[in-house]
Amino acid sequence: MIPVELIEKIHSLRKRAAFLEPDAAGRAVVRDRIVSYTEKFLEEIHLAKAFHETRDKGAGLLKSPVSPDPLDVEEVLRLFSENVDHPGLNPASGGHLAYIPGGGIYYSSLGDYMAAISNRYAGVFYASPGAVRMTNMMIDWMAGIVGYPSTAGGNLLSGGSLANLTAIVTARDAHGLKGKDYEKAVVYFTGQAHHCLDKAIRIAGLKECVRRRIPMDGQYRMNVDALRDQVQQDRREGLYPWLVIASAGTTDVGAIDPLDEIGDLCQENRIWFHIDGAYGAFFVLTEEGRAKLGGIEKSDSLVMDPHKGLFLPYGLGVLLVRDRDKLRDSFHYHANYMQDAVEVDDEISPAEVSPELTTHFRALRMWLPLKLCGTDAFVAGLDEKLLLARYFHEQIGKIPRFEVGPTPELSVVTYRYVPETGDPNRFNEALLKAVVRDGRVFLSSTMLDGKFTLRLAVLAFRSHLETIDLALQVLKEKVAELSA
Ligand SMILES: *Cc1c(COP(=O)(O)O)cnc(C)c1O
């Protein structure tokens, strides 16, 4: 007996769902419109503002609610352009010189596109041996450039925050810390460590740990003598020095903690040495960065963000661990429904060393540009950023009444304007607001020793000499306007 009604129903559902699978002509209509939209975006990017202050802040999007009916691609693109691509920060602009700029190189977008089309399952070797090999190859490449031994492993996560969290959990388990130990376990970092580390400690259930903020030198680098004294004192008091977190490029000022000495100290004291290099670690690709980041290879774990230092679009932060077994100890899994996916040879499945199971096939967005451009282009881009920061530092120092911070260690410059009269903090706050409202370049600020300080961070791959000249010009104009 053929269940006629049932079969008819299935056919009719298939018809209704057919929008999910456009044919070649249908694909071309939407694809060509989207490609021409993105082409226009790229062609005009040098004219686009780095920041747009708008009144409704994208709220127009809500006027078109999700509905049972399809919408025309033109209308979809109009909604997107007006409400998403227009208001706020434009991170694709070279004029993004604030916080830590991101990237967005073109070939990565094509890698994402290809990954989404074939939707390879990159979490498990059995499912996609090629995707997993590519993932592990990217990890090995990064482990190689920082000088980790062949025991190293790692994981591709969504960003630096998740990578740091994964590192903290690994370090916790590697030291066998249990709930009853937390009150005595001590973490050491400086007041300049990224806030995501404090958050990670909290999320990892380690709120009760003792947190020591180690003093810094005049350039915001960890004072290793102070660290040593603190470790010894803690030991004497029966505490358990467990984790030192150093920064390889702080977000605030780009300072690099003395990695080499900290590495030795951690080794002597059997303390886990973690480095947050989300911003700065990729500078090891340059000769100058390599020298400044000496000792990075002594760490037990390291975070680096390809969506910052390798100019990739947002969505990729990396954790490397010197001993990959430690990572596996924390994140391995067993599930009956995964019993067919047994491990083959020595290729680790990413899901074995990650809190994630199913993820976007992230390696492709990195592998494709590396293969198509070669590493030399990335090295040159990074060297250019170092020199642009130095150029800005020199030029801003020549403008009367601008006070500059130290020569940038990497690509972050700090500076402030000192007005003839009035409160400098309020003046710089107003100056920053005026620059942001102008929008041609986007800068940010921080508080350093109670001083409202302006920052310029060069890491966007589209920032070039003319961008820096524009930033100088905008600053001069706004100072003149505010002083008038
Ligand atoms: C950006 C940054 C982070 C956080 O990384 P996300 O990718 O934004 O999650 C952590 N540490 C430093 C030093 C950073 O610059």
Side-chain angles (χ1 to χ4, degrees), residues 100 159-161 164 194 196 249-251 276 278-279 305 307-308:
I100 300 296
S161 300
N164 274 307
H194 195 274
C196 77
T250 59
T251 309
D276 178 11
Y279 155 54
D305 261 4
H307 69 199
K308 288 176 179 166

Side-chain angles (χ1 to χ4, degrees), residues 76-260:
V76 169
L77 283 174
R78 188 192 62 76
L79 283 168
F80 181 76
S81 165
E82 280 175 16
N83 299 295
V84 181
D85 260 352
H86 186 68
L89 170 63
N90 179 0
S93 159
H96 179 11
L97 300 163
Y99 311 117
I100 300 296
I105 49 175
Y106 186 66
Y107 297 135
S108 271
S109 75
L110 299 178
D112 281 348
Y113 179 70
M114 287 167 69
I117 295 277
S118 60
N119 206 21
R120 283 281 156 193
Y121 198 92
V124 176
F125 185 75
Y126 169 75
S128 187
V132 169
R133 282 192 202 282
M134 184 186 286
T135 301
N136 289 341
M137 183 184 163
M138 292 299 96
I139 289 163
D140 289 347
W141 175 68
M142 287 179 278
I145 61 172
V146 301
Y148 266 5
S150 61
T151 54
N155 198 244
L156 307 185
L157 293 127
S158 57
S161 300
L162 258 290
N164 274 307
L165 171 62
T166 309
I168 300 282
V169 168
T170 307
R172 179 195 68 195
D173 296 348
H175 274 242
L177 290 187
K178 302 275 185 332
K180 63 180 168 43
D181 308 317
Y182 292 174
E183 273 180 13
K184 293 197 162 177
V186 194
V187 183
Y188 305 83
F189 43 14
T190 73
Q192 288 279 317
H194 195 274
H195 72 264
C196 77
L197 287 154
D198 239 343
K199 190 160 132 183
I201 289 168
R202 216 167 358 107
I203 303 173
L206 295 159
K207 228 175 1 196
E208 288 84 12
C209 277
V210 183
R211 276 170 254 190
R212 302 283 190 218
R213 296 289 185 176
I214 302 302
M216 295 169 278
D217 67 12
Q219 296 190 36
Y220 304 97
R221 294 176 296 212
M222 190 185 284
N223 178 330
V224 184
D225 290 331
L227 173 65
R228 185 174 293 110
D229 291 347
Q230 187 68 57
V231 166
Q232 283 166 359
Q233 189 190 326
D234 287 340
R235 250 226 172 115
R236 278 196 302 273
E237 289 174 7
L239 299 176
Y240 179 62
W242 154 57
L243 171 66
V244 173
I245 301 171
S247 303
T250 59
T251 309
D252 234 9
V253 303
I256 303 169
D257 289 326
L259 307 178
D260 200 52

Side-chain angles (χ1 to χ4, degrees), residues 159-431:
S161 300
L162 258 290
N164 274 307
L165 171 62
T166 309
I168 300 282
V169 168
T170 307
R172 179 195 68 195
D173 296 348
H175 274 242
L177 290 187
K178 302 275 185 332
K180 63 180 168 43
D181 308 317
Y182 292 174
E183 273 180 13
K184 293 197 162 177
V186 194
V187 183
Y188 305 83
F189 43 14
T190 73
Q192 288 279 317
H194 195 274
H195 72 264
C196 77
L197 287 154
D198 239 343
K199 190 160 132 183
I201 289 168
R202 216 167 358 107
I203 303 173
L206 295 159
K207 228 175 1 196
E208 288 84 12
C209 277
V210 183
R211 276 170 254 190
R212 302 283 190 218
R213 296 289 185 176
I214 302 302
M216 295 169 278
D217 67 12
Q219 296 190 36
Y220 304 97
R221 294 176 296 212
M222 190 185 284
N223 178 330
V224 184
D225 290 331
L227 173 65
R228 185 174 293 110
D229 291 347
Q230 187 68 57
V231 166
Q232 283 166 359
Q233 189 190 326
D234 287 340
R235 250 226 172 115
R236 278 196 302 273
E237 289 174 7
L239 299 176
Y240 179 62
W242 154 57
L243 171 66
V244 173
I245 301 171
S247 303
T250 59
T251 309
D252 234 9
V253 303
I256 303 169
D257 289 326
L259 307 178
D260 200 52
E261 292 170 70
I262 297 173
D264 291 342
L265 189 148
C266 287
Q267 204 163 28
E268 285 158 27
N269 290 277
R270 279 194 242 114
I271 298 174
W272 187 278
F273 178 24
H274 175 65
I275 297 178
D276 178 11
Y279 155 54
F282 272 107
F283 283 103
V284 290
L285 284 169
T286 69
E287 218 176 290
E288 189 182 328
R290 175 82 254 169
K292 288 184 168 167
L293 292 161
I296 196 169
E297 72 287 352
K298 293 185 176 174
S299 59
D300 294 296
S301 54
L302 166 71
V303 165
M304 52 206 301
D305 261 4
H307 69 199
K308 288 176 179 166
L310 211 60
F311 314 132
L312 264 52
Y314 292 137
L316 189 55
V318 175
L319 169 64
L320 299 176
V321 177
R322 157 182 294 276
D323 178 355
R324 61 175 165 261
D325 290 341
K326 296 282 195 318
L327 194 56
R328 184 153 38 187
D329 286 347
S330 288
F331 295 103
H332 69 91
Y333 62 89
H334 175 79
N336 290 339
Y337 58 82
M338 297 285 289
Q339 65 188 3
D340 311 325
V342 285
E343 227 183 283
V344 187
D345 347 300
D346 54 0
E347 207 64 46
I348 288 187
S349 288
E352 286 261 326
V353 287
S354 172
E356 296 180 293
L357 177 56
T358 306
T359 70
H360 178 70
F361 175 17
R362 295 178 180 128
L364 188 50
R365 63 195 344 251
M366 181 169 171
W367 179 82
L368 192 69
L370 280 173
K371 298 307 282 181
L372 291 175
C373 303
T375 54
D376 186 59
F378 291 91
V379 176
L382 286 166
D383 267 325
E384 182 196 15
K385 304 311 161 231
L386 292 173
L387 295 187
L388 288 175
R390 203 160 311 150
Y391 171 79
F392 177 84
H393 181 260
E394 273 174 31
Q395 297 304 312
I396 192 83
K398 286 184 194 160
I399 305 174
R401 311 207 69 84
F402 267 100
E403 195 177 84
V404 295
T407 306
E409 193 141 44
L410 293 171
S411 66
V412 178
V413 185
T414 55
Y415 55 100
R416 70 200 300 254
Y417 187 78
V418 185
E420 223 154 319
T421 57
D423 177 15
N425 279 8
R426 283 173 73 177
F427 189 94
N428 283 281
E429 205 176 332
L431 176 56

